Amino acid sequence: MDYGFVEKNGLEFGLSEDFKAKFEKFLNLNSSLNFIEENKNFLNAHKIFNIDSSALSDISPLCDMELIVSDNDDIFKVRCLINDFIRESKSVKSIFPYFPQKCGEILNHWIGNEADVKLILSKSVCKSLKDFICEYDFDGAIGDFSLDVKTADPFMDVLLVISDKGVLLGFYKNDGDFDSNEVLFSRNSRAIEWAGKVFATYEESCGEYICLDEFLKKNNDIKGD
């Protein structure tokens, strides 16, 4: 009680709100340190500081993220995970560093699910997507499918995919190339919330969204990098 950790209420004693807050911060720090220790080789080999510093101040929501690695038995394991993850979701928010190989298949799944998709892309990837959409023969009516894209210049060199199913997080290697062989994955609601805050921070720093109707206008020029 002298330190303010315990409060007396009538004949009962309980932890003070101030102590609960401090103890929660301690537990979060412990979770963050455990996450860093378990994934230190991965983290040391990648550019993780491209993520907003306020998000890095508490990474405890990522404590249960699983490191998915492509191996000799399945060299496309990570790329297939990313493609399957984004195409089967009804709600997607993503910072995406490259143009997907199976873009048409992904688009048709999104249309079929009437997905709500928000993307942050580099200018060159955005131009590639626009060119693809303008020439693509969609399987059916677009319906309530919603696609909104922002361009980031310079791009923030990170892969972040948030959906109703979970979170994918990938990074560029220290040599400057995107690592398509290793990503972090979680279905935890705290990780989804954390990732949502990261996305919102970058979303605010970019320009206006380009909607699907604008993409379909061939005279709407988007210059590449």
Side-chain angles (χ1 to χ4, degrees):
M1 290 182 68
D2 290 341
Y3 285 105
F5 297 161
V6 174
E7 294 177 338
K8 185 178 181 181
N9 184 12
L11 299 177
E12 297 181 347
F13 293 87
L15 298 177
S16 68
E17 293 301 318
D18 182 56
F19 176 76
K20 289 179 182 178
K22 290 179 179 178
F23 190 61
E24 182 179 6
K25 288 182 179 180
F26 171 78
L27 292 177
N28 289 344
L29 175 60
N30 186 60
S31 296
S32 298
L33 292 174
N34 288 338
F35 173 79
I36 292 171
E37 177 63 25
E38 292 171 2
N39 297 280
K40 60 184 179 182
N41 292 333
F42 171 80
L43 297 173
N44 286 334
H46 295 82
K47 297 180 178 181
I48 65 169
F49 292 106
N50 290 320
I51 291 183
D52 177 60
S53 59
S54 62
L56 291 175
S57 65
D58 181 14
I59 58 173
S60 61
L62 309 184
C63 64
D64 74 334
M65 287 199 100
E66 179 184 2
L67 182 61
I68 309 296
V69 182
S70 298
D71 52 34
N72 291 332
D73 293 330
D74 189 353
I75 60 175
F76 298 111
K77 184 176 182 179
V78 168
R79 283 194 178 270
C80 289
L81 171 65
I82 294 171
N83 283 349
D84 291 344
F85 186 72
I86 61 177
R87 72 180 182 179
E88 294 173 3
S89 300
K90 288 191 174 183
S91 174
V92 177
K93 293 181 179 179
S94 181
I95 302 169
F96 214 77
Y98 61 88
F99 186 71
Q101 291 181 330
K102 297 183 178 180
C103 188
E105 186 177 318
I106 292 170
L107 280 171
N108 278 324
H109 274 81
W110 281 346
I111 292 169
N113 287 326
E114 297 186 338
D116 181 11
V117 181
K118 295 183 184 297
L119 303 176
I120 298 177
L121 310 171
S122 69
K123 285 186 177 180
S124 59
V125 174
C126 185
K127 184 179 185 305
S128 296
L129 179 62
K130 175 187 179 295
D131 292 342
F132 183 88
I133 287 176
C134 287
E135 300 296 331
Y136 189 69
D137 184 16
F138 293 97
D139 286 350
I142 293 176
D144 291 331
F145 166 55
S146 173
L147 174 67
D148 296 292
V149 180
K150 285 190 175 189
T151 57
D153 186 21
F155 190 67
M156 58 281 302
D157 291 351
V158 66
L159 165 77
L160 179 67
V161 185
I162 314 162
S163 82
D164 45 305
K165 299 178 182 294
V167 176
L168 281 172
L169 185 60
F171 298 98
Y172 280 67
K173 294 179 287 187
N174 288 329
D175 63 10
D177 294 329
F178 175 70
D179 189 351
S180 60
N181 294 316
E182 295 182 296
V183 292
L184 293 164
F185 174 63
S186 176
R187 297 185 185 277
N188 188 287
S189 58
R190 290 189 68 213
I192 295 174
E193 182 180 356
W194 179 91
K197 291 177 180 178
V198 172
F199 184 86
T201 298
Y202 288 117
E203 188 180 33
E204 291 174 2
S205 67
C206 298
E208 296 297 320
Y209 272 115
I210 304 167
C211 69
L212 181 60
D213 287 342
E214 292 178 85
F215 268 107
L216 294 172
K217 296 176 183 176
K218 294 189 178 184
N219 60 350
N220 181 28
D221 186 38
I222 299 172
K223 295 181 180 180
D225 293 335

